[in-house]
Amino acid sequence: VVVNTFTYHMSPAGILFHEAIRDCGATAVPMGTGGTEMLIQTMLDLKVTGFVGTPTFLMNVIRKAEETGHEFRHDFSIKKSWFTGEMLPPSLRKTFEGDYHIATSQAYAVTEPGGAIAYECPQHQGYHISAESIILETIKDNGQLAEPGERGRIIVTDLRNYAMPYIRYENGDIGVISDRSCCCGRSLPLLESI
């Protein structure tokens, strides 16, 4: 049972993640942001085991639950979290995994093409490009392609939607693409940092 804290209006995030949660065989609970007290009660009542949203929102939920007398690690059933929309700082990952025993994973998503461009595997060594029909490039300030391991502006070509492909879309993010292999076995390039 997974709470989806992305909104279901004005942005496709809510419905995209709702469908992904359902496709994984889990029950999606549409919550959106806000209404933290109702979210906390829903998480308790439904024994929610997964969280989809931003890392700072989950931390706010945990703090609010603890302020109201709950011991989050013992009273709640959250075991997994999947973040996007903002970066998960290493210190917050350490808090979730070490203090609360919540497995963390994050995705690099771009709203316009409609979903996750790259995602972390359990190794947390970077983001795996999510499909062979997605091409990531980085370009330097002079417009030239950056070499693997060199920082540059991220350019996304996403051919998953043949009716409306995104060709060399730049959203303003800066990143580093690597051609190194991950020990998980995936062979597509890694987006090492954003």
Side-chain angles (χ1 to χ4, degrees), residues 33-189:
T33 55
T36 307
E37 293 84 6
M38 184 171 58
L39 174 61
I40 289 168
Q41 193 61 52
T42 300
M43 291 168 63
L44 283 168
D45 291 346
L46 299 180
K47 297 183 181 2
V48 169
T49 57
F51 176 93
V52 170
T54 63
T56 54
F57 188 53
L58 177 55
M59 195 69 240
N60 288 340
V61 169
I62 291 171
R63 285 186 182 132
K64 185 70 169 179
E66 290 176 341
E67 286 172 9
T68 59
H70 292 287
E71 191 173 336
F72 195 87
R73 187 169 154 192
H74 298 291
D75 297 345
F76 291 79
S77 303
I78 297 283
K79 300 292 179 231
K80 295 182 180 183
S81 59
W82 196 77
F83 302 121
T84 193
E86 66 185 30
M87 301 307 299
L88 172 62
S91 60
L92 198 48
R93 172 173 270 155
K94 184 178 178 184
T95 298
F96 289 139
E97 293 185 354
D99 297 347
Y100 297 103
H101 297 239
I102 300 170
T104 62
S105 187
Q106 57 185 332
Y108 175 59
V110 178
T111 300
E112 291 78 7
I117 299 299
Y119 61 90
E120 284 185 319
C121 72
Q123 303 302 316
H124 303 300
Q125 299 298 311
Y127 300 83
H128 293 282
I129 296 172
S130 61
E132 290 182 357
S133 58
I134 295 173
I135 301 163
L136 284 187
E137 302 169 284
T138 49
I139 58 171
K140 299 183 273 189
D141 288 337
N142 64 8
Q144 300 296 315
L145 282 176
E147 296 294 323
E150 190 175 22
R151 182 181 150 141
R153 295 190 320 268
I154 297 173
I155 308 295
V156 178
T157 297
D158 187 346
L159 305 174
R160 290 179 291 183
N161 182 346
Y162 294 109
M164 193 174 84
Y166 276 79
I167 310 295
R168 303 207 76 219
Y169 176 76
E170 181 180 353
N171 68 350
D173 290 338
I174 305 293
V176 175
I177 297 175
S178 172
D179 57 1
R180 72 173 175 81
S181 298
C182 179
C183 59
C184 77
R186 292 283 313 231
S187 59
L188 291 172

